[in-house]
Amino acid sequence: MKTKILTFLIFSLIGLLADRASAQFLGDFFSQQAQKKKLMTEQIAAYQLYLGAIKTGYSIAEKGWTTAHGLKNGTFRLHSDYFSSLQQVAPAIKNNPKGRAIDSLYRQICSLFANEKQWQQQQKLLDATETGYLGKVENSLLAKAKLDLEELAQVLTPGRLQLTDAERLARLDKLYEAMKDKYAFAGYFTAKCRKLALQRQRPQKDRAQIKKLYGIQ
């Protein structure tokens, strides 16, 4: 009887210990699983935060690029509008009287040489070398004057040059002074040619009068 009781107590104790061990094992197991789950949850949250930061950074970068691109295009448009405005000619400059005066001076230069050459051809007082020199001076001066006229056309024609109004006025003033100088030289040179011819003409008239006076044929 005592043996049976002892055996029962021993098995009961073993069972109790087994239950405790099993409970402790299961408790540790579930505790470990809970920790793993918590760790995985924290890792997932960290990954989501990291991905969110990347997405936000990409969004910022994309917006920044879009903004920079817009600013670039806006700046380009500003520059384009500015340079386009430089190609326009203000009415006050286009109608400036110096433009017409430059053209008028050029025509007067042409007229001075044309009249002088015609007179010299009629009088025949200059030799071939002198007449040729008169033609060379005329051609050289008119060639330079034509360059001034071409520049004048560029200054006064929209779309030709990129200049501010002040720069166009400065060019206009410069061309006007240059054409005045050419006109002054043309007047001086043709007058010298006429004077030279008249000086030669006087002795011829004197000789003609002497011949007429003395009846010399």
Side-chain angles (χ1 to χ4, degrees), residues 57-78:
Y58 175 78
S59 178
I60 293 173
E62 185 179 20
K63 290 179 180 178
W65 181 85
T66 303
T67 302
H69 184 68
L71 289 174
K72 181 181 178 181
N73 287 340
T75 302
F76 176 79
R77 283 194 294 270
L78 287 175

Side-chain angles (χ1 to χ4, degrees), residues 24-208:
Q24 184 177 0
F25 173 77
L26 292 174
D28 291 341
F29 174 78
F30 286 116
S31 177
Q32 291 176 0
Q33 293 299 316
Q35 289 180 355
K36 288 182 179 180
K37 184 177 181 181
K38 181 181 179 181
L39 180 61
M40 290 177 64
T41 302
E42 292 177 350
Q43 290 178 343
I44 292 172
Y47 288 145
Q48 288 178 342
L49 181 64
Y50 177 70
L51 291 174
I54 292 176
K55 185 177 180 181
T56 302
Y58 175 78
S59 178
I60 293 173
E62 185 179 20
K63 290 179 180 178
W65 181 85
T66 303
T67 302
H69 184 68
L71 289 174
K72 181 181 178 181
N73 287 340
T75 302
F76 176 79
R77 283 194 294 270
L78 287 175
H79 287 307
S80 179
D81 291 343
Y82 173 70
F83 287 119
S84 294
S85 68
L86 293 181
Q87 292 182 337
Q88 304 304 314
V89 181
I93 298 175
K94 192 171 184 178
N95 299 324
N96 192 296
K98 286 185 177 180
R100 293 187 294 273
I102 292 171
D103 182 71
S104 176
L105 287 170
Y106 172 78
R107 295 177 184 279
Q108 292 181 57
I109 292 171
C110 294
S111 180
L112 282 172
F113 277 103
N115 292 336
E116 185 61 24
K117 287 172 63 177
Q118 183 180 8
W119 187 86
Q120 293 290 353
Q121 290 173 357
Q122 292 175 350
Q123 301 300 320
K124 302 184 183 303
L125 297 171
L126 298 181
D127 58 30
T129 301
E130 293 167 337
T131 301
Y133 182 69
L134 172 60
K136 288 181 180 180
V137 172
E138 176 192 19
N139 292 336
S140 177
L141 191 63
L142 290 181
K144 294 179 180 179
K146 286 179 181 179
L147 291 177
D148 291 340
L149 286 181
E150 291 176 1
E151 185 175 353
L152 175 66
Q154 292 180 343
V155 171
L156 299 181
T157 303
R160 293 287 188 86
L161 299 175
Q162 292 181 343
L163 299 173
T164 63
D165 290 346
E167 290 173 335
R168 289 183 190 277
L169 286 174
R171 289 279 191 97
L172 200 59
D173 291 341
K174 180 181 178 181
L175 291 171
Y176 177 66
E177 294 299 325
M179 195 64 79
K180 281 202 309 181
D181 289 342
K182 292 178 177 62
Y183 173 74
F185 176 79
Y188 168 80
F189 182 77
T190 53
K192 291 288 289 185
C193 292
R194 180 67 61 92
K195 183 178 180 180
L196 176 62
L198 292 175
Q199 287 175 346
R200 292 179 180 176
Q201 189 181 50
R202 187 173 299 111
Q204 290 181 357
K205 288 184 177 180
D206 291 341
R207 287 195 296 270

